[in-house]
Amino acid sequence: MSQETAKGRTLTFNIFRYDPQVPGDKPKMVKYQLEEAPGMTVFIALNRLREEQDTSLQFDFVCRAGICGSCAMVINGFPTLACRTLTAKYPKGEINLMPLPGFELIGDLSVNTGKFMRELAERLKLWLHPISDDIDVHRLEAPMDPAEAAKLYELERCVECGVCVSACATKQMRDTFVGAVGMMKLARFELDSRDGRELEDFYHVIGNQDGVFGCMTLLGCQDNCPKDLPHMQQIAYLRRKMAVTLV
């Protein structure tokens, strides 16, 4: 094994830098270089850059295992999770990092997805609306059919990373569009037999151009979702339901 192979190749990172909290700061791309290690992810590389070269570098992370969705960013033009992206994926060794578009910028690669998700939940009322208002804490919870539980679990895997929002051309053109994440979460409650809302209730929320009828089916959400969630399947499902409501 040659010394060069043992040491690993040199990676070049072109990283978007801008802190809106600093007066006079302007957006720019800053170049960093780092020696690649076996099994290195973009997340690991960013941590090393911050520890070894630039402590002011801003980006988000929590779990480091593709569960929290915090480290989502645009890597070489594609929105994805930094902790699940190997640097070995890029044979030229040049990696460009940008913050997710469509969200409020905190600084550098850090965006406020939490604010967006909270506003979306309030707008679409993304919580269970019980069939009965009669609340009895001593009553046993009604059993759920395993098949229904499996469908709900599949939709609950969303980690709210915001990748589908940034990958959606409709969302980038029309800020009021609820996006795949909103429809995915709403489909979860439409499928839940414990939810007391009727189709008309869901129609008033997403039965318009800002909802299911505004989706252009470009598959950006489906192609880029790091959890491989069935976004288009659920959007099509809701669209059929809303179409029936119109009849």
Side-chain angles (χ1 to χ4, degrees):
M1 181 182 295
S2 66
Q3 184 177 0
E4 183 180 352
T5 304
K7 288 181 60 179
R9 61 178 178 165
T10 298
L11 301 172
T12 299
F13 290 87
N14 299 303
I15 303 179
F16 175 86
R17 301 299 309 273
Y18 174 57
D19 190 342
Q21 303 300 318
V22 176
D25 194 20
K26 296 182 179 180
K28 55 187 176 294
M29 298 298 291
V30 178
K31 180 179 291 187
Y32 301 89
Q33 290 191 321
L34 184 70
E35 184 181 307
E36 187 176 31
M40 175 179 278
T41 63
V42 172
F43 162 77
I44 293 174
L46 282 171
N47 273 276
R48 282 190 53 189
L49 287 174
R50 184 158 65 181
E51 292 172 1
E52 301 170 8
Q53 299 185 33
D54 191 341
T55 57
S56 68
L57 183 60
Q58 298 182 65
F59 60 94
D60 298 317
F61 70 92
V62 177
C63 74
R64 298 176 288 182
I67 298 174
C68 71
S70 299
C71 66
M73 60 187 67
V74 178
I75 304 177
N76 281 12
F78 294 92
T80 188
L81 298 181
C83 68
R84 297 186 62 180
T85 304
L86 293 170
T87 57
K89 177 181 178 181
Y90 307 102
K92 294 184 179 180
E94 186 160 339
I95 301 173
N96 302 312
L97 304 179
M98 299 284 292
L100 289 181
F103 298 97
E104 177 186 341
L105 180 68
I106 296 175
D108 299 339
L109 303 175
S110 176
V111 296
N112 196 343
T113 55
K115 178 181 178 181
F116 172 85
M117 295 300 174
R118 180 182 178 87
E119 291 176 349
L120 187 68
E122 293 174 349
R123 175 184 173 186
L124 301 183
K125 303 185 186 303
L126 297 176
W127 54 82
L128 187 71
H129 294 234
I131 295 176
S132 174
D133 293 331
D134 181 21
I135 299 175
D136 182 359
V137 296
H138 302 292
R139 181 188 303 154
L140 292 176
E141 184 176 358
M144 178 179 288
D145 180 75
E148 179 183 346
K151 290 181 180 179
L152 297 185
Y153 171 76
E154 174 69 5
L155 305 189
E156 287 283 8
R157 292 195 299 108
C158 173
V159 295
E160 299 186 355
C161 61
V163 165
C164 63
V165 176
S166 295
C168 177
T170 305
K171 179 64 179 174
Q172 301 309 313
M173 292 187 293
R174 189 165 65 252
D175 188 58
T176 53
F177 184 62
V178 300
V181 62
M183 287 182 273
M184 171 73 69
K185 288 180 173 293
L186 207 60
R188 175 252 180 271
F189 291 107
E190 198 284 328
L191 287 167
D192 197 325
S193 60
R194 301 167 299 175
D195 197 289
R197 283 173 286 186
E198 302 292 337
L199 283 179
E200 289 77 8
D201 300 315
F202 292 104
Y203 178 80
H204 289 306
V205 178
I206 58 167
N208 50 43
Q209 288 299 310
D210 286 337
V212 292
F213 299 120
C215 173
M216 297 187 293
T217 322
L218 298 177
L219 302 179
C221 54
Q222 186 94 12
D223 292 342
N224 292 280
C225 177
K227 307 301 287 187
D228 296 320
L229 292 172
H231 290 289
M232 293 312 305
Q233 176 184 334
Q234 297 309 314
I235 292 174
Y237 169 78
L238 287 174
R239 186 178 287 168
R240 289 195 299 271
K241 289 285 187 177
M242 298 303 102
V244 170
T245 306
L246 288 172
V247 177

